[in-house]
Amino acid sequence: MKKKGIDINKKPEFSRPVEKHFYELDQTYGNGNLIVYAIFLFLSFFAIMGLIWMIPFPQLDFLVKMNAHTFLNWGSFFIAIVIYCYLKLAPTLSYAVLFTIGIMSYFIVQLEYVERDGGPTVILVCSILAIIGLIGLFFMSTKWKKGTASFLNLLTIGPIWLWSKVFDKLKWKY
């Protein structure tokens, strides 16, 4: 006998698109160790950003005249696109990611100084970190995967999803 008004297979309704993404990631990867996800996701994101940062940017005359050519690189565009996309999903979480990216940018610049002083190249360091981060994230995600969210979702939405967990613990709204 079917009970009135109760639908067992009813999908939850979401008021914002970010809630749907977070629900899918929670269903798929929520049972795993979030700290390990955070470490591997941080390594992957940092390394990818570092590799993009090191792509040579054209020296445009008007930037050289304004002495602004050192501040603009492909990493700047990557950061702008990432923050814009996150801003459309969850503004408060995008600020947390922007803060994280600021810290990562500092360390990428420090790696450039190490390379300038005769150390390993930034590309080598970031490539090794990317391999470690992506392989670790892939193995962790296949170990705990139980839902429909893809590995690409974890890579792209994962940073704000993990920040949402921090915000939930602190009882902050996002």
Side-chain angles (χ1 to χ4, degrees), residues 24-152:
E24 289 175 357
L25 286 169
D26 282 337
Q27 296 301 310
T28 307
Y29 303 110
N31 294 333
N33 188 341
L34 294 179
I35 294 172
V36 176
Y37 278 132
I39 291 168
F40 285 131
L41 196 59
F42 179 84
L43 284 175
S44 301
F45 195 90
F46 174 80
I48 291 168
M49 189 170 87
L51 289 171
I52 292 171
W53 191 293
M54 297 312 295
I55 298 172
F57 192 78
Q59 296 294 318
L60 304 173
D61 289 336
F62 74 94
L63 290 174
V64 173
K65 286 179 186 175
M66 295 186 323
N67 201 21
H69 64 287
T70 58
F71 301 110
L72 189 63
N73 59 28
W74 292 114
S76 304
F77 289 104
F78 175 73
I79 293 167
I81 291 168
V82 166
I83 295 303
Y84 175 76
C85 293
Y86 288 165
L87 190 62
K88 296 299 262 181
L89 289 173
T92 310
L93 295 175
S94 73
Y95 302 139
V97 172
L98 182 61
F99 176 73
T100 307
I101 287 175
I103 294 169
M104 290 180 187
S105 299
Y106 171 78
F107 284 111
I108 291 171
V109 171
Q110 296 307 308
L111 285 173
E112 287 179 320
Y113 292 151
V114 169
E115 178 183 357
R116 182 192 64 194
D117 294 339
T121 64
V122 178
I123 292 175
L124 175 68
V125 173
C126 288
S127 296
I128 291 169
L129 291 177
I131 290 168
I132 292 169
L134 290 172
I135 289 174
L137 197 60
F138 180 75
F139 282 126
M140 281 296 297
S141 68
T142 55
K143 180 180 177 183
W144 294 104
K145 186 172 183 176
K146 297 207 186 325
T148 59
S150 68
F151 182 70
L152 187 60

